[in-house]
Amino acid sequence: MINELIKSGFEKASGENAVWERPDYNSIPYSDGDDVESRLALAVQSSQDVSLHSEELSRHCIDWPSRYHLSPTRANLMRPLKEILAGRILEIGAGCGAITRYLGELGVEVVALEGSKRRAQIARSRTRDLKNVEVVASRFQDFTIGIQFDVITLIGVLEYASIFAAGPNAAQAMIRQISKLLKPGGALVIAIENRLGLKYLAGAYEDHVWKPMFGIEDKYVDNGPRTYGKEELTQLLHSAGFPKTDFLYPFPDYKMPLAILEDAAFHTAEFNTAALITQTVDSDENLPEAMAFSQRLAWPMIIRNQLAPDLSNSFLVVARENGSVRKNNRAIAHYYSTGRRNHFKKEASFLKTAGSQVQIEYEKICPDAPSPAGGPLTHVFPTTVEYTSGTSLLALFEGVLSKDNWTVKDAGRIVRLYADAVDRFSHELGCPRSDDVIASSLYDATPENIILAADGKPVLIDQEWIYNAPLTRKFLLFRGLLWMTGKISQFAACEDDPNLTRKQFITQLLALLDYPIDDESIKSYLEIERNISILVNSRDFKEIDYWLMMPLYRQHPLQRTTELIDQVKHLSSAYTLKAEYAEILEARNVTMKEQLENLQMFVDKNDMETKTLRSLIAAHKQTIKSLSERKVEVPKESIMSNAADLSTPNLQDPPQVVSENDSARHKYEYSFDINGKIAPARVARVVGTGRDVLEVGSGPGSITRVLTEVGKNSVTALEIDPEAIEKVRPHCKQVLSCDLNQADWHEILAGNEFDIVLAADVLEHLYDPLQALKSMVTLLNGSGRIVLSLPHASHLGIGCCLLSNNFRYGEWGLLDKTHIRFFSLQNIHNLIEAAGLKIIHAEFVITPPSNMEFADLWNAMDSNKQKALLSNPFSLVYQVVLKAAPIDAEEPAISLFDIPVEGWKDPYAPPEYVRGYKWNSRMGKTIRFPGRVLRTLSRLFP
């Protein structure tokens, strides 16, 4: 292989991570981001064990990109094809080597082709101990070699054909070019999303453009990514010279498959295909919260109507130019338990026997992995078992709990079936029914693992754990109900209590079985489950207590959207009524005056309340006068504009990176539009033009450059970072190295005075910001002013962190890891006043929840906590930009608390409209009063 690469013009530098490439190769611009891929490269390079099931690498799987590139679950896609993965394999689009590693560990000869040089180097690092793997950095269309391959793979690649190749039939041309690299009878393996997949019909985003309904509505463009439906993909392969195809169906999709179904699965009556699919769909990390329907509930109906192959979320296709695609294949489905510790990982293959029955064969995925010592469980590994067809108790529970207005009593009928089945199994194993301790081998007898056969008899399946302590009925029933509520993704509203929590639900069901349970028992049971999860899955369910307190029912996001639209329509009608009310008040002013005269007579007859009531009458007169004199006109355009504003946040424009070379860019280096709404732009405008400015803590000169080039200011910069000093030097009159944490730092400028002393996002980094600010004041001339920008510690983002028990420091933002001090509005006032200053001008930088660095914590938070955080009128204030003057300056002082916050609305405020009241006057006409007039009258006559 090495000689063939050399003959084809490829060269390889020295070093274990070097890849083959042609001289002057330019990498394709495809990346998950510099930060992500740098982190992946470091994780792989620093790990001693880079094997497929490396526990070192698993500890680096902390988010979607890292799981996609490092998780062993990726390799499940290729496991059903082991019998054809032989000889010489070309992997096109190797990425960071997740599939490459699996192929290399099979012992076959692998050439991994990747267009991104950085990704190719990561793939080489991942396979550095495999001599049978060669990694090549090259575009596919430029790749030539003097040999052919037994198998060529396109995993998540075909959809990008039109980006890297010109012409209207780029995908067809790509496949034809591939066919020239295949040996006669060789296999082409393709994995790709189905544009008509059920999850996309339900509202999941198209994976490449991240927009819903994009593929379904055929919005693809000629030079962009494109996916296909089953019939389209079949025709494409036929037209490119591959008439022999075999489709497999990965779930939840091909990226992280837990189950892979063969076509035979949908035509085998004895096999419950829906049960296998529904176990996987909720594991898809990329599903949005707002889905049009539940996949778990929809798949059984899809399968009954024989639509499953066409609506599978993605495809795995084996194609050949001729001959049999896959010989002697008895499998109808495969299921992989790879989310466990290595010793417990297993593959379950569902095979059709000669008698049209189904058999399950189990195989350890890591047979040589050591068994964890001790622990509360013993693992029993079966090899072959007969498949049991029927309906699981979990499916019965879900059938009840997904229907509107279910009751605990309804669920109680299923839980009694569950308890009776446990009693039956325990009795068959020799335990008396009267004994509370049952057989330890029933530890995994959960509703998911109990099948009601055709004769109604319960059958226990998938039993691989023995509990190494006395197992009580109450504990088993508790854990069965606990994990049952976790398996059901969508509960309907309970008629007994729409806010019923998981804990209340489980407690009430156990009470129906005469197994009352207290908080101490629940706590001890949860501790057992945590320890077992750590043993089996290396995961600690730290949030399980909070999860138990969550309501079962969550209003569907689309239903909430519909209600919001109705509220907007109602609000529009209310504005129209408001205009009508104003007109009526103006026309009926005489009637209102008559009421005032009657009220005055009432006051005169009540001496003890005369003084109080007269003051109220006077206030009421003024109100009536204002209402009668005011004409309210509310155009419909204004109404709908205001309504639209309810859901359109005022987004700030982010800074733009200065340099395309990220490695040369300083952490705080960026550019910005001086007319923008972000803090640097506001600071530059507040400083003004033609000033003598001292910029304290200038960083690399991002603001300095605008002050000098746009504002024509003369800037002296102070900075401590040597790298930043060199970057700011070209943009200022002079730059001095200085440590602001030293009390005498200002002495370096002795004899100098300035019009403006600027400290933009500086004080929060200092141990004694007050002393630093006092020193800045000494450097002002007679009319000099201080300009500051400070992060606001009462922004709801920090509240999110506190309520989520996750005070998350980062490289930037409110919780920049270099911040030492934190300021809310009152703290800012106190700081300014203590320095002998007063605030004469201030502006707020507004950042809504969707734009902040803690958006994920916000989205995971329940609506009550969100409303509580939003009730602070200043919760959207991200930064404060202000100008301060000495306390004896002529300008008046202002308060930060008097500045309105753009876009903030009180989440607890009542609607602006209140239903009116009709009253028949003595003139015989009906008058409608708006709610605010009624409220005024109610205060007069409580």
Side-chain angles (χ1 to χ4, degrees):
M1 180 62 67
I2 292 176
N3 290 334
E4 293 297 333
L5 289 169
I6 294 173
K7 288 178 184 178
S8 300
F10 291 99
E11 300 176 357
K12 182 179 180 182
S14 60
E16 65 177 4
N17 295 335
V19 299
W20 292 94
E21 59 181 310
R22 289 194 172 103
D24 302 323
Y25 173 64
N26 292 319
S27 177
I28 66 172
Y30 186 85
S31 169
D32 280 325
D34 291 340
D35 291 342
V36 170
E37 293 191 357
S38 296
R39 174 160 51 89
L40 290 172
L42 180 61
V44 175
Q45 187 62 37
S46 62
S47 294
Q48 297 294 318
D49 178 10
V50 291
S51 65
L52 183 65
H53 297 281
S54 165
E55 293 188 354
E56 279 185 272
L57 288 178
S58 69
R59 289 192 286 271
H60 291 281
C61 293
I62 58 174
D63 54 16
W64 168 248
S66 57
R67 280 189 285 274
Y68 179 76
H69 291 293
L70 302 179
S71 170
T73 303
R74 286 284 313 284
N76 292 345
L77 181 71
M78 307 302 288
R79 295 184 187 279
L81 308 181
K82 279 184 288 190
E83 75 276 7
I84 71 168
L85 297 175
R88 185 182 293 143
I89 298 177
L90 172 63
E91 180 190 13
I92 300 174
C96 294
I99 300 295
T100 317
R101 183 72 209 190
Y102 173 75
L103 296 174
E105 290 186 5
L106 291 178
V108 299
E109 192 174 3
V110 180
V111 175
L113 185 67
E114 171 55 43
S116 164
K117 185 173 180 180
R118 178 165 57 188
R119 286 186 168 208
Q121 290 169 337
I122 297 173
R124 176 69 276 180
S125 181
R126 183 74 193 272
T127 57
R128 58 182 180 259
D129 57 332
L130 298 176
K131 304 303 181 183
N132 56 320
V133 176
E134 298 294 341
V135 180
V136 181
S138 171
R139 291 174 172 82
F140 166 71
Q141 62 268 32
D142 300 330
F143 178 72
T144 55
I145 194 167
I147 57 174
Q148 291 182 312
F149 297 86
D150 298 280
V151 178
I152 298 179
T153 68
L154 291 174
I155 310 302
V157 174
L158 182 62
E159 54 265 47
Y160 293 105
S162 59
I163 295 180
F164 302 113
N169 299 313
Q172 184 186 79
M174 183 180 191
I175 296 172
R176 284 179 173 170
Q177 186 176 350
I178 289 172
S179 68
K180 298 175 184 178
L181 295 170
L182 265 179
K183 290 181 179 179
L188 171 62
V189 178
I190 297 174
I192 190 170
E193 296 86 353
N194 176 13
R195 70 192 295 179
L196 299 177
L198 188 66
K199 73 173 183 178
Y200 303 113
L201 292 169
Y205 295 162
E206 204 279 349
D207 298 77
H208 310 93
V209 298
W210 211 240
K211 294 179 181 178
M213 303 298 166
F214 196 86
I216 292 167
E217 296 176 346
D218 198 19
K219 293 182 177 180
Y220 294 124
V221 295
D222 289 341
N223 60 344
R226 174 184 297 273
T227 60
Y228 306 90
K230 185 181 180 185
E231 182 61 24
E232 291 175 299
L233 186 56
T234 302
Q235 293 301 322
L236 173 62
L237 289 167
H238 286 192
S239 66
F242 287 88
K244 303 293 185 179
T245 57
D246 189 4
F247 275 76
L248 293 87
Y249 309 93
F251 287 92
D253 63 15
Y254 81 84
K255 300 178 188 68
M256 290 285 186
L258 299 180
I260 300 179
L261 277 66
E262 310 268 356
D263 260 319
F266 304 110
H267 307 292
T268 303
E270 298 80 8
F271 185 66
N272 190 342
T273 311
L276 195 62
I277 293 177
T278 54
Q279 286 185 56
T280 69
V281 291
D282 290 331
S283 66
D284 190 335
E285 294 185 49
N286 295 316
L287 295 179
E289 181 184 359
M291 299 282 279
F293 53 82
S294 166
Q295 289 188 81
R296 280 183 62 90
L297 299 178
W299 270 116
M301 182 273 296
I302 297 295
I303 292 169
R304 285 199 299 271
N305 286 275
Q306 301 181 12
L307 297 172
D310 292 308
L311 297 180
S312 173
N313 291 327
S314 59
F315 303 123
L316 174 62
V317 189
V318 181
R320 295 185 191 268
E321 295 177 331
N322 51 62
S324 175
V325 179
R326 293 164 67 207
K327 298 178 181 178
N328 303 321
N329 179 36
R330 294 192 300 122
I332 61 175
H334 314 264
Y335 189 84
Y336 304 100
S337 301
T338 50
R340 303 173 171 184
R341 295 179 69 174
N342 290 345
H343 176 74
F344 303 118
K345 292 178 179 179
K346 67 177 182 178
E347 173 182 0
S349 297
F350 298 82
L351 309 177
K352 200 167 185 178
T353 63
S356 296
Q357 298 300 309
V358 178
Q359 191 177 67
I360 309 174
E361 289 187 0
Y362 293 101
E363 182 180 351
K364 285 192 173 184
I365 292 177
C366 301
D368 299 327
S371 174
L377 292 181
T378 297
H379 187 226
V380 179
F381 189 82
T383 55
T384 303
V385 298
E386 294 299 320
Y387 177 78
T388 301
S389 182
T391 303
S392 71
L393 290 185
L394 174 63
L396 294 182
F397 271 117
E398 190 163 25
V400 169
L401 302 175
S402 62
K403 300 292 193 300
D404 288 335
N405 301 318
W406 61 271
T407 66
V408 174
K409 186 177 180 181
D410 295 333
R413 287 192 286 271
I414 311 299
V415 84
R416 290 189 186 280
L417 289 177
Y418 178 36
D420 290 344
V422 169
D423 285 347
R424 178 172 184 159
F425 298 145
S426 183
H427 182 66
E428 290 172 352
L429 292 170
C431 296
R433 293 183 186 272
S434 59
D435 195 346
D436 188 44
V437 176
I438 58 178
S440 296
S441 59
L442 294 178
Y443 171 77
D444 214 16
T446 61
E448 183 180 17
N449 291 336
I450 298 177
I451 305 295
L452 293 184
D455 59 2
K457 180 181 176 182
V459 179
L460 194 57
I461 65 168
D462 201 20
Q463 295 301 289
E464 55 178 325
W465 307 105
I466 296 176
Y467 189 57
N468 296 333
L471 179 66
T472 65
R473 278 185 174 80
K474 184 190 290 189
F475 173 42
L476 176 59
L477 294 173
F478 172 82
R479 80 174 302 267
L481 295 175
L482 175 72
W483 299 121
M484 176 272 290
T485 64
K487 290 286 185 179
I488 299 176
S489 59
Q490 186 169 313
F491 288 83
C494 176
E495 184 178 279
D496 305 325
D497 179 7
N499 296 316
L500 188 70
T501 67
R502 283 182 167 82
K503 180 179 178 181
Q504 292 169 338
F505 178 56
I506 293 170
T507 302
Q508 291 180 30
L509 288 181
L510 289 175
L512 290 176
L513 299 174
D514 294 326
Y515 285 110
I517 189 169
D518 56 25
D519 288 344
E520 282 302 314
S521 297
I522 292 176
K523 183 178 180 181
S524 66
Y525 291 164
L526 293 180
E527 188 62 27
I528 294 172
E529 291 299 294
R530 282 197 188 98
N531 292 334
I532 290 173
S533 177
I534 293 170
L535 170 71
V536 176
N537 306 313
S538 296
R539 291 199 304 268
D540 184 0
F541 295 108
K542 296 179 180 179
E543 304 298 328
I544 196 167
D545 296 305
Y546 177 74
W547 180 73
L548 271 177
M549 301 307 296
M550 294 291 292
L552 294 171
Y553 169 67
R554 292 189 304 164
Q555 188 181 28
H556 196 284
L558 294 180
Q559 183 179 350
R560 292 202 298 270
T561 302
T562 302
E563 291 180 357
L564 179 60
I565 292 172
D566 291 340
Q567 291 175 12
V568 170
K569 291 179 179 177
H570 201 173
L571 185 60
S572 177
S573 300
Y575 275 109
T576 303
L577 288 174
K578 180 180 179 182
E580 293 178 1
Y581 290 151
E583 183 179 349
I584 291 170
L585 285 175
E586 185 176 11
R588 298 294 184 266
N589 190 30
V590 174
T591 303
M592 297 297 291
K593 288 181 179 179
E594 290 177 359
Q595 291 182 356
L596 289 176
E597 291 173 359
N598 291 335
L599 290 173
Q600 188 67 53
M601 292 173 59
F602 177 84
V603 171
D604 292 338
K605 293 178 181 179
N606 292 271
D607 293 337
M608 294 184 63
E609 298 181 0
T610 297
K611 184 175 180 180
T612 302
L613 287 174
R614 279 180 177 170
S615 63
L616 291 171
I617 290 297
H620 189 57
K621 284 181 178 180
Q622 185 60 39
T623 301
I624 298 301
K625 181 179 179 182
S626 298
L627 289 171
S628 64
E629 290 177 354
R630 186 173 64 184
K631 295 183 178 180
V632 179
E633 295 182 3
V634 186
K636 285 190 176 180
E637 297 81 5
S638 174
I639 292 169
M640 296 318 296
S641 174
N642 290 335
D645 287 344
L646 290 175
S647 58
T648 305
N650 183 16
L651 302 179
Q652 62 182 60
D653 45 341
Q656 303 298 316
V657 173
V658 169
S659 171
E660 294 181 356
N661 183 1
D662 285 341
S663 63
R665 180 169 59 89
H666 191 277
K667 173 182 176 181
Y668 296 115
E669 189 175 4
Y670 52 82
S671 63
F672 58 90
D673 179 3
I674 195 171
N675 297 312
K677 294 184 178 181
I678 62 173
R682 294 176 186 269
V683 165
R685 295 197 297 268
V686 171
V687 169
T689 60
R691 306 294 181 86
D692 191 5
V693 179
L694 171 64
E695 186 178 10
V696 178
S698 64
S702 299
I703 296 178
T704 319
R705 182 162 54 88
V706 175
L707 293 179
T708 55
E709 295 177 5
V710 180
K712 308 302 181 185
N713 295 289
S714 174
V715 180
T716 297
L718 298 184
E719 179 53 43
I720 191 172
D721 180 2
E723 179 187 354
I725 288 174
E726 293 308 311
K727 285 182 173 289
V728 75
R729 192 181 302 278
H731 305 300
C732 60
K733 180 174 66 176
Q734 65 172 332
V735 57
L736 302 174
S737 178
C738 171
D739 183 357
L740 298 176
N741 282 314
Q742 300 296 321
D744 59 350
W745 66 266
H746 58 288
E747 293 179 5
I748 196 174
L749 293 162
N752 291 277
E753 292 184 340
F754 300 88
D755 299 320
I756 298 289
V757 176
L758 167 63
D761 292 337
V762 171
L763 296 183
E764 63 269 24
H765 299 270
L766 304 181
Y767 292 110
D768 192 349
L770 175 58
Q771 184 59 46
L773 185 57
K774 287 180 177 179
S775 297
M776 294 177 199
V777 174
T778 65
L779 298 172
L780 294 175
N781 60 27
S783 59
R785 299 292 182 258
I786 300 287
V787 175
L788 304 176
S789 67
L790 293 163
H792 182 222
S794 291
H795 185 269
L796 55 76
I798 293 183
C800 277
C801 291
L802 294 172
L803 291 181
S804 301
N805 293 311
N806 184 4
F807 206 65
R808 193 168 70 193
Y809 283 94
E811 294 296 327
W812 57 277
L814 292 175
L815 292 182
D816 186 311
K817 64 184 181 182
T818 61
H819 287 183
I820 299 172
R821 299 291 185 177
F822 297 89
F823 302 89
S824 289
L825 299 188
Q826 188 58 55
N827 306 121
I828 295 174
H829 270 292
N830 295 345
L831 177 70
I832 296 298
E833 291 171 6
L837 300 168
K838 62 182 177 182
I839 300 173
I840 60 174
H841 175 84
E843 300 176 16
F844 290 156
V845 177
I846 304 302
T847 298
S850 59
N851 278 23
M852 64 180 180
E853 61 269 32
F854 311 111
D856 57 328
L857 299 180
W858 175 265
N859 293 334
M861 187 170 290
D862 70 79
S863 59
N864 290 329
K865 290 183 179 179
Q866 289 179 344
K867 288 175 68 175
L869 290 173
L870 278 170
S871 64
N872 175 9
F874 301 94
S875 58
L876 300 181
V877 177
Y878 192 83
Q879 288 166 288
V880 178
V881 176
L882 64 88
K883 180 188 284 187
I887 197 69
D888 57 355
E890 293 181 359
E891 296 98 323
I894 66 170
S895 170
L896 297 177
F897 293 98
D898 293 335
I899 300 175
V901 178
E902 181 181 0
W904 179 81
K905 295 179 182 178
D906 187 352
Y908 295 108
E912 294 183 12
Y913 59 92
V914 179
R915 188 171 299 160
Y917 177 76
K918 294 183 178 180
W919 175 74
N920 292 320
S921 69
R922 285 183 291 175
M923 300 171 64
K925 296 183 178 181
T926 299
I927 300 175
R928 291 178 295 176
F929 294 96
R932 60 186 172 203
V933 174
L934 292 174
R935 288 196 294 272
T936 303
L937 293 174
S938 68
R939 286 196 295 269
L940 289 171
F941 302 101

